[in-house]
Amino acid sequence: MRIARFVVDSDPLYGVVDGEPGSEEITVINGDPFFNGVERTHVKHKLEDVRLLAPIIPRSKVIGVGRNFAEHAAELGNEVPQHPLLFLKPNTAVIGPNDPIVLPEFSEEVSFEAELCVVIGRICKDVPEERAEDVIFGYTCGNDLTARDVQKTDLQWARAKGFDTSAPLGPWIETELDPDDLAVQARLNGELRQDGNTTQMIRGVRELVSIVSQAFTLLPGDVIMTGTPAGVGLISEGDHIEVEVEGIGRLSNPVVRR
């Protein structure tokens, strides 16, 4: 089931997306699916007639996982970490499909990172790996934008990873997906730049959920970005970056500089 967050006229709504590419419809659901379940109404819109938003604005946090693909760690001259390398992004970093990525004034080297993202569906702590699926609401595409020059100079990654617009998510949440063997790709101005697979993850989705929940109490709507494959590169004003995860869809964003 594909659950999207969108606007037609004013207030954001949630809906279920059905149909084949090019002919999708979105059926409005009552309330917030994270707390009310999925109750369809009789109101429908063509997908082309609505504006998609980020499928979730986390009430609490976005958790990133650094260097979870060996080839990506190597391309930046880093070793694979012995212990999971976790970091946080504020919810103010989140934007949705087609929203502009705004390059921060303090960086000249911002790069893209295509990622599979896990959306948490219930409050949880210290989740055993074998029960991780019980707390997962679904999956979406994400782009872990990183100010590389700032990442090298700051002792903490808060500015490098957490600046406004650094966490595009979308286009929707897919609730029925096996995350173990999915293509993860990025295209910059239409050119394929990243072409990986979740089979290349050092730590898989279930292990990551368990590990992250040992450090943080997870709340409904929290997002875990699971790491990026090799092929990351820099973006510039005027570029267009697309992230695609097999079984979910494609997330597209233009790049601007104010």
Side-chain angles (χ1 to χ4, degrees), residues 11-251:
D11 295 335
L13 300 167
Y14 282 97
V16 177
V17 179
D18 296 303
E20 297 301 317
S23 60
E24 298 102 330
E25 284 189 333
I26 188 164
T27 302
V28 176
I29 61 179
N30 281 322
D32 187 330
F34 287 87
F35 295 95
N36 302 333
V38 179
E39 180 186 347
R40 297 180 187 234
T41 69
H42 297 292
V43 180
K44 295 186 177 183
H45 302 278
K46 292 183 178 180
L47 189 62
E48 63 191 39
D49 294 336
V50 309
R51 181 168 72 89
L52 291 178
L53 306 174
I56 183 67
I57 300 293
R59 295 163 175 84
S60 174
K61 52 194 170 293
V62 178
I63 304 101
V65 181
R67 302 169 192 167
N68 196 34
F69 286 71
E71 290 185 6
H72 168 60
E75 74 179 343
L76 297 182
N78 298 309
E79 299 290 334
V80 172
Q82 183 178 358
H83 302 288
L85 184 56
L86 304 181
F87 58 90
L88 297 174
K89 286 177 178 269
N91 58 11
T92 50
V94 174
I95 58 173
N98 302 312
D99 290 337
I101 296 164
V102 182
L103 299 173
E105 293 182 2
F106 54 77
S107 175
E108 296 298 327
E109 298 179 5
V110 174
S111 71
F112 57 85
E113 295 187 11
E115 308 204 6
L116 169 69
C117 296
V118 181
V119 183
I120 299 299
R122 53 183 282 194
I123 188 169
C124 58
K125 174 69 176 172
D126 295 327
V127 179
E129 188 173 337
E130 62 271 16
R131 296 197 59 189
E133 292 184 3
D134 295 343
V135 305
I136 296 174
F137 184 84
Y139 302 88
T140 192
C141 305
N143 192 344
D144 174 21
L145 293 154
T146 306
R148 294 291 178 207
D149 45 359
V150 175
Q151 187 182 32
K152 294 173 184 175
T153 57
D154 286 5
L155 294 178
Q156 300 288 336
W157 290 2
R159 279 203 309 161
K161 293 279 193 178
F163 62 86
D164 288 351
T165 75
S166 66
L169 299 175
W172 40 63
I173 299 169
E174 174 57 69
T175 63
E176 300 170 11
L177 190 69
D178 183 346
D180 290 339
D181 185 5
L182 301 174
V184 179
Q185 299 178 324
R187 289 176 174 83
L188 181 62
N189 301 323
E191 178 186 349
L192 183 64
R193 301 291 293 274
Q194 287 183 279
D195 189 10
N197 193 287
T198 56
T199 58
Q200 300 166 328
M201 284 183 176
I202 297 166
R203 296 175 177 89
V205 164
R206 296 167 191 83
E207 184 179 0
L208 288 177
V209 170
S210 179
I211 290 169
V212 170
S213 73
Q214 293 169 23
F216 313 108
T217 297
L218 296 174
L219 303 181
D222 281 356
V223 174
I224 301 172
M225 307 186 88
T226 62
T228 194
V232 301
L234 301 181
I235 54 175
S236 302
E237 181 180 10
D239 283 344
H240 197 96
I241 183 71
E242 296 177 315
V243 171
E244 185 170 4
V245 178
E246 183 180 2
I248 300 176
R250 184 174 293 185
L251 168 67

